[in-house]
Amino acid sequence: MNAPSPAARFPLGRLLLLMGAAFAANTGEFLPAGVLPQMAAGLGVSEARIGLLVSTFALTVAISALPLTILTSRIGQKRLLVIAIFAVGLANLISALAPTYGLLAGSRVLGGLGHGLFWSTAMPYAASLVRQAQVGRAVSVVNMGTSLGFILGVPLGTAIGLAVHWRAAFGAAGLVLIGFALAVAVLLPAVPRPIAEPARGSLLGDRGLHRMLVPSLIVILAALGQYSLYTYISPWILGPGGVTVGALSTLLFVFGLASAAGLVLVGVVADRGLTMILTIVLGATALAVVAMALLAGIVPTAVLVALWGIAFAGFPTLVQSAALRVATPRAHGLAGAIIAVAFNLAISGGALVGGQVLELQGLAALPWTQLAFTLAAVLVTLLVLPRVLREADREHARAARARAESEPAAASESAPERGTADCTG
């Protein structure tokens, strides 16, 4: 598949299909949190062991995404998307039918394998559908599925679990995912995986991979801070936040809606100055959590939680755009996998860091913990990211000029051959 022409229309319909698959996949990932008591009672295990199912899923993604991406580098992106979405759907169906906790945990490992492969493939695939100037917007559309999973998917799955059975919630998620796998197979075009192109030299020495360490470090710092607080957001809201139990679900819903709004906003401006917008996003996040630490009560907490959601929601889109931009063409397919690994390590690590802070310092210290990690991410964004972006842009420009110069030369060399062939014919 050739690169999209400058006049090509933005492929919103195809990207919305990927967004739907991301929505269903994210819903399945966090569904245990919504039906945790019912699952614990049904399987006869503690709620803490059910909570480990989310960590198991995230750790599986972190461990497997990069090796799976390398092992499947010769398989077309569309085929990989179908396989990944089907695997996550099958995992949810196994979860719905699992008679024991052990089999349920095994299904979560299968889901994590498919989930990591999906995210390592979906972003490069989305980028291949649009012009370079539209990559940020395309990634933002697909990422909207993640926010919708939090806003609509998990609450809807929870409602099904309460009204029918927790197994019905997993079964519904599985069937929806298999439906999306079939839709991707039928409706989306096939595109080649850039990493499958003949490579000169070892990927370990690829400058693009070295540059991807910078957006990965930004992810680890910012997401460690984010999930050190977000993992314990419910007890924080009820404690230092000064909010009553009756308003908790409403505030979490507000956070989800605000996150969706923030993602839409970043999607509009994502391609207009990556370093500046990423700095604004992280700075606004820092200001929001500082204000949360200093103010209490339902009104200020509600406003600040909404601002926090708006501010941080666009962060994944921006760092994924940065990773795709600094990657070389042959390592493009690894960009999504590397960012997925960084995010899932940070999700697991953030919960661990937040738990330690909670035990040693209490809930009131959690916003300050996030602030410290977020400020570190801001420093890397300001001091290091611009340099690697400039280096990548220069490298891409040189490669484009080399291709442009080689095409006329190749055409002139082939012309005499065609003339000779005509004379002898």
Side-chain angles (χ1 to χ4, degrees):
M1 178 178 171
N2 296 327
S5 67
R9 295 180 59 186
F10 188 75
L12 182 60
R14 293 170 176 176
L15 294 170
L16 287 176
L17 182 53
L18 287 177
M19 184 193 78
F23 159 77
N26 194 67
T27 299
E29 178 179 6
F30 291 100
L31 188 54
V35 291
L36 190 148
Q38 294 78 17
M39 292 180 70
L43 293 168
V45 299
S46 67
E47 292 186 352
R49 290 189 70 188
I50 298 299
L52 286 175
L53 295 174
V54 175
S55 297
T56 299
F57 195 104
L59 284 174
T60 302
V61 174
I63 293 170
S64 68
L66 192 54
L68 276 179
T69 301
I70 295 172
L71 289 173
T72 59
S73 62
R74 295 187 179 276
I75 302 176
Q77 287 181 316
K78 175 183 172 178
R79 183 178 298 179
L80 276 182
L81 281 173
V82 173
I83 293 170
I85 298 168
F86 183 84
V88 180
L90 179 61
N92 278 275
L93 291 179
I94 295 173
S95 296
L97 300 173
T100 64
Y101 179 84
L103 184 57
L104 181 58
S107 72
R108 298 293 290 177
V109 171
L110 173 62
L113 293 171
H115 195 81
L117 188 59
F118 171 77
W119 282 110
S120 66
T121 307
M123 292 310 166
Y125 181 89
S128 72
L129 297 177
V130 299
R131 305 192 308 272
Q132 179 65 34
Q134 297 175 323
V135 168
R137 184 180 169 198
V139 170
S140 179
V141 171
V142 179
N143 269 335
M144 181 67 76
T146 301
S147 291
L148 290 177
F150 283 114
I151 298 166
L152 299 176
V154 175
L156 180 60
T158 302
I160 294 173
L162 293 174
V164 185
H165 198 279
W166 66 265
R167 295 184 183 275
F170 278 98
L175 291 175
V176 169
L177 280 159
I178 289 176
F180 273 114
L182 294 174
V184 168
V186 173
L187 299 176
L188 292 187
V191 299
R193 289 181 62 89
I195 195 171
E197 297 174 0
R200 294 180 297 274
S202 171
L203 269 176
L204 293 177
D206 189 279
R207 295 181 64 83
L209 286 181
H210 298 167
R211 289 192 294 261
M212 273 189 270
L213 293 175
V214 176
S216 298
L217 178 58
I218 295 171
V219 166
I220 289 173
L221 291 171
L224 264 174
Q226 174 77 2
Y227 287 96
S228 69
L229 175 58
Y230 182 78
T231 303
Y232 304 96
I233 189 61
S234 293
W236 186 90
I237 287 175
L238 297 175
V243 176
T244 61
V245 175
L248 176 61
S249 60
T250 302
L251 272 186
L252 294 178
F253 185 69
V254 166
F255 180 86
L257 285 178
S259 297
L263 190 55
V264 171
L265 179 61
V266 165
V268 173
V269 300
D271 299 307
R272 301 181 186 178
L274 189 55
T275 300
M276 178 187 69
I277 297 170
L278 185 55
T279 303
I280 291 171
V281 162
L282 292 173
T285 299
L287 290 175
V289 296
V290 167
M292 287 167 59
L294 298 175
L295 302 174
I298 186 167
V299 174
T301 299
V303 171
L304 293 170
V305 164
L307 291 176
W308 179 32
I310 291 173
F312 194 80
F315 175 75
T317 295
L318 295 170
V319 291
Q320 284 164 343
S321 297
L324 290 168
R325 183 168 157 186
V326 302
T328 55
R330 65 174 180 169
H332 219 233
L334 290 178
I338 290 172
I339 295 300
V341 168
F343 259 113
N344 282 277
L345 284 175
I347 290 171
S348 299
L352 179 62
V353 169
Q356 291 297 309
V357 171
L358 179 60
E359 288 187 2
L360 297 174
Q361 302 293 329
L363 285 166
L366 291 175
W368 300 107
T369 303
Q370 175 166 0
L371 175 65
F373 282 107
T374 303
L375 291 179
V378 169
L379 287 176
V380 177
T381 301
L382 286 174
L383 300 179
V384 186
L385 182 61
R387 177 176 60 80
V388 297
L389 288 175
R390 287 194 298 268
E391 178 185 301
D393 289 344
R394 287 195 298 266
E395 190 173 298
H396 297 330
R398 285 196 299 267
R401 286 195 299 269
R403 286 194 301 269
E405 292 170 359
S406 64
E407 287 172 2
S412 62
E413 288 174 4
S414 62
E417 295 178 4
R418 289 196 299 268
T420 303
D422 292 341
C423 293
T424 55

